[in-house]
Amino acid sequence: MNAQQLVDERGDLWLALAPLWLDREPSERDYARMIEVIERYDMTLNELEWMFRLEMAPVMSRHQLSIASEWRQFDDYKLMKQLVNHNMRLKGWRRKSWALFSGLTTMMVRHRWNALMNRVAVARGEQV
């Protein structure tokens, strides 16, 4: 898969979910927007979980740990470039390594992710 395919297939979803890592709690409007974008993708809750853990969290958690990081908003172009670069290399041992450490990279936003997944399940009429 090339970079353009990644952007076409995941870009909107990644950018919609990026606010989970900002320094403020997402509003109901933020969650509604995220759900709207998620529903455009044919992904189960389990597939969304692994996308969160492997495709996004390794990149996004670095923003949280960086002193110089922007916490109010992200530069979408720069963020997309980082996400694409990460995902282009996400194969073999790297994928297994990130799966192993995904608990660490997701722990700071886990409560927000769980709240979002509960809202997605309700919107889909699934059991929480």
Side-chain angles (χ1 to χ4, degrees):
M1 182 175 299
N2 67 37
Q4 187 58 52
Q5 286 174 307
L6 271 173
V7 170
D8 293 344
E9 290 181 15
R10 290 282 208 256
D12 289 341
L13 184 58
W14 289 338
L15 292 179
L17 298 177
L20 292 171
W21 279 270
L22 292 175
D23 70 338
R24 61 173 173 72
E25 288 297 318
S27 67
E28 285 304 317
R29 189 171 147 188
D30 294 328
Y31 281 123
R33 165 95 173 98
M34 290 177 206
I35 292 167
E36 177 187 318
V37 173
I38 286 170
E39 289 305 301
R40 287 189 246 151
Y41 292 80
D42 189 26
M43 296 176 75
T44 66
L45 296 180
N46 190 48
E47 290 169 332
L48 287 164
E49 174 71 26
W50 284 104
M51 183 272 313
F52 166 70
R53 287 176 166 221
L54 298 178
E55 295 177 19
M56 292 192 72
V59 173
M60 303 305 295
S61 62
R62 290 181 198 137
H63 285 275
Q64 286 184 309
L65 298 174
S66 171
I67 294 172
S69 180
E70 288 191 23
W71 282 84
R72 297 274 178 224
Q73 64 183 10
F74 294 112
D75 175 336
D76 288 351
Y77 178 78
K78 182 178 174 185
L79 182 59
M80 186 62 65
K81 201 169 163 185
Q82 292 169 337
L83 287 163
V84 167
N85 287 337
H86 166 74
N87 282 277
M88 293 292 289
R89 296 186 319 262
L90 192 58
K91 295 173 180 69
W93 69 268
R94 280 192 171 101
R95 186 173 197 82
K96 291 175 184 171
S97 176
W98 284 120
L100 180 64
F101 292 105
S102 65
L104 293 172
T105 60
T106 61
M107 72 180 178
M108 292 171 62
V109 296
R110 175 53 66 181
H111 66 287
R112 294 174 183 175
W113 179 256
N114 290 343
L116 174 61
M117 290 299 98
N118 286 337
R119 286 169 170 85
V120 169
V122 168
R124 291 179 175 180
E126 297 177 13
Q127 190 155 11
V128 180

